[in-house]
Amino acid sequence: MENTQYYVAKTFAGIEPLLAEELAALGARNCKVLSRSVSFEGDRDMLYRANYYSRLALRILWLQKKFTFTNNRQFYEQVFDFPAEKFMGPDNTLAVHATIADTIFKTPLYASVLAKDAVCDRFRDRCGRRPSVDKEAPDLQLHLHVYKNEAQLFLDSSGESLHKRGYKVQNHPAPINEVVAAAMLKLSGWKADCDLIDPMCGGGTILIEAAMQALNIPAGFYRRNYGFCYWKTFDEERWKQIRREARIKDDVQVDFYGSDINPRFLEIAETNIRKARLEDFISLRQKDMRQVTPARKPALVMMNPPYGERLAVDDLNEFYSEIGDSLKNNFSGCRAFVISSDMDALKHVGLKPSMKAKLFNGPLECRFLGYDLFAGDHKSFVKNKKNADE
Ligand SMILES: C[S@@+](CC[C@H](N)C(=O)[O-])C[C@H]1O[C@@H](n2cnc3c(N)ncnc32)[C@H](O)[C@@H]1O
């Protein structure tokens, strides 16, 4: 293929294989699962497409050069040779991020400062002025991955992390990350084929991500800014064209129900849902999780109960055992998924999981467990299922 470029999409541990599948479906070639990332190939459109449509990537990096070095001087010279002026001018701002492993640099900060000096010195040599550094919102962000004596220099095409979809007007104090919520929905196998219920919905992340998936709303639909929009090479017409490829549905056959015990959090959910213009699809009500029942069955229940990390609960084990009782008593015939970082509390749900996955909600290691909520005992459920499958 002409004009093949090499990219790396970053994500959380545990999501890589799903991300590789998603990128391949978007047209990426040669997707390879790496640690907390997926490498892939494609043309320039692929860079725009991955940023706009990927629900599972945190950022998309574009490889500019690979080099080897044996000392600081060589590292500096290699970065100096990178033609940053193709992407930015001396009046734009710059940030350099570095990750290092087993190399001559003692700290990533040292590598990033050396690289930043190299880019700035190149500008000073060429036009007498140098860009300034802006760590918060730079016009151009470079990423250097340094392993032993090898370095890869990337441009960060996303800017702000892609989990910032643009619909969170207000923040819940203990939110699930949008990329993790999207991955939970994919892992559950839900295909918008039954109602979705979040009985502890907080700021509404799971509900909004689910409705976006069901209606085919691109992950970046509500977001205005991407790193590449500030590059000199930005092709605005092509970018518009790629966004126009979205085939958003105007209706779905399923409903989305959210509830929470705390009215303050429901207000946050309501604001976010309104920002996403999904209020016609998602119903909210104030309710204790123990009183929630499905409007129709089967339904899929997905919840992110308090972990006791950021929201206090008196007796977490007792609370999780009540979650198990409510699922068993109120949702027979449905499937349920629970994510939590409290492994002990999760055991108190007291149901046998039919699916287990390890996910990370930011820095918190979590278990994501799925339950088939059958009526009666597990033995007869397995027997009936076997008979039905034969
Ligand atoms: C970890 S937060 C959920 C965050 C949400 N996933 C988001 O992204 O914003 C847990 C939520 O459970 C709610 N909660 C706690 N006890 C509850 C109960 N008994 N019934 C319903 N909701 C409850 C809390 O008010 C809180 O909003």
Side-chain angles (χ1 to χ4, degrees):
M1 192 202 218
E2 240 182 90
N3 206 5
T4 296
Q5 303 294 325
Y6 181 85
Y7 303 110
V8 169
K10 300 268 204 181
T11 191
F12 292 117
I15 299 181
E16 305 93 329
L18 288 174
L19 173 59
E21 261 175 47
E22 183 191 56
L23 290 168
L26 290 173
R29 287 173 298 106
N30 213 2
C31 299
K32 291 198 182 107
V33 168
L34 308 171
S35 164
R36 281 180 287 138
S37 59
V38 171
S39 67
F40 63 101
E41 291 170 7
D43 55 12
R44 198 263 324 265
D45 283 4
M46 191 60 227
L47 182 72
Y48 290 173
R49 202 167 275 128
N51 271 291
Y52 191 57
Y53 290 98
S54 172
R55 300 183 196 283
L56 303 176
L58 290 166
R59 59 183 66 251
I60 313 291
L61 305 180
W62 177 19
L63 183 67
Q64 299 301 306
K65 69 183 286 184
K66 279 184 186 186
F67 57 89
T68 53
F69 62 100
T70 48
N71 54 41
N72 291 359
R73 184 84 223 151
Q74 282 177 7
F75 180 86
Y76 171 94
E77 280 167 1
Q78 286 285 352
V79 180
F80 187 94
D81 285 345
F82 166 63
E85 65 280 2
K86 262 172 55 185
F87 299 95
M88 68 184 288
D91 300 322
N92 291 120
T93 55
L94 170 76
V96 183
H97 176 87
T99 55
I100 59 166
D102 201 6
T103 182
I104 56 167
F105 303 122
K106 291 233 162 30
T107 64
L109 181 66
Y110 189 86
S112 65
V113 170
L114 196 56
K116 186 262 300 166
D117 285 347
V119 175
C120 289
D121 290 350
R122 181 179 171 100
F123 272 101
R124 201 169 14 220
D125 279 10
R126 296 188 156 233
C127 44
R129 296 189 329 275
R130 45 157 289 179
S132 51
V133 171
D134 179 349
K135 287 191 181 141
E136 297 307 313
D139 297 320
L140 193 78
Q141 176 137 18
L142 263 56
H143 278 235
L144 276 144
H145 292 180
V146 187
Y147 175 64
K148 294 193 175 190
N149 66 337
E150 291 168 6
Q152 294 183 310
L153 192 161
F154 295 92
L155 287 187
D156 179 346
S157 69
S158 306
E160 265 204 309
S161 169
L162 296 175
H163 81 273
K164 298 206 171 170
R165 311 276 204 226
Y167 61 70
K168 286 250 170 102
V169 195
Q170 282 192 44
N171 280 316
H172 186 277
I176 192 87
N177 183 288
E178 292 78 348
V179 164
V180 179
M184 285 157 54
L185 289 157
K186 299 264 184 222
L187 281 168
S188 75
W190 181 73
K191 300 266 182 315
D193 41 6
C194 66
D195 293 349
L196 191 129
I197 303 167
D198 180 351
M200 288 189 246
C201 70
T205 321
I206 296 174
L207 296 164
I208 297 174
E209 289 295 322
M212 285 173 76
Q213 288 191 16
L215 289 158
N216 221 10
I217 299 173
F221 187 71
Y222 308 102
R223 178 175 157 133
R224 287 290 150 261
N225 275 320
Y226 294 83
F228 58 75
C229 297
Y230 299 91
W231 300 347
K232 280 188 191 170
T233 53
F234 178 43
D235 183 342
E236 193 165 1
E237 263 323 297
R238 200 63 209 125
W239 170 233
K240 275 190 191 150
Q241 189 57 39
I242 280 164
R243 280 164 36 219
R244 265 186 235 120
E245 287 169 7
R247 294 286 164 262
I248 300 177
K249 298 180 192 167
D250 50 21
D251 206 4
V252 276
Q253 297 307 308
V254 297
D255 294 312
F256 301 83
Y257 297 100
S259 41
D260 200 288
I261 200 160
N262 189 328
R264 194 162 53 88
F265 296 154
L266 283 171
E267 267 173 39
I268 298 178
E270 201 182 339
T271 316
N272 294 336
I273 290 167
R274 216 179 306 120
K275 170 75 183 176
R277 299 191 290 279
L278 291 170
E279 59 270 44
D280 289 347
F281 300 94
I282 304 173
S283 319
L284 293 178
R285 59 193 168 159
Q286 187 188 347
K287 221 166 192 166
D288 188 310
M289 163 276 292
R290 289 161 274 223
Q291 265 112 52
V292 177
T293 53
R296 54 181 170 174
K297 289 184 183 178
L300 189 124
V301 190
M302 192 168 280
M303 63 173 94
N304 163 217
Y307 311 156
E309 293 265 350
R310 293 173 289 189
L311 293 179
V313 173
D314 286 344
D315 183 340
L316 214 56
N317 291 347
E318 174 62 23
F319 185 66
Y320 276 62
S321 114
E322 286 171 359
I323 292 177
D325 291 344
S326 311
L327 291 177
K328 208 161 42 194
N329 298 332
N330 300 338
F331 290 95
S332 65
C334 300
R335 286 196 315 137
F337 291 85
V338 182
I339 187 162
S340 176
S341 70
D342 194 315
M343 320 296 168
D344 267 349
L346 268 174
K347 287 186 193 131
H348 287 79
V349 170
L351 301 168
K352 195 172 164 30
S354 52
M355 193 222 85
K356 285 186 195 173
K358 193 203 279 188
L359 290 175
F360 287 80
N361 187 25
L364 290 178
E365 181 181 328
C366 298
R367 290 292 175 278
F368 179 56
L369 304 181
Y371 306 95
D372 289 320
L373 303 166
F374 44 85
D377 63 289
H378 186 251
K379 244 187 193 164
S380 43
F381 167 75
V382 174
K383 199 170 149 206
N384 290 343
K385 192 165 184 290
K386 222 172 147 194
N387 289 342
D389 290 345
E390 279 166 8

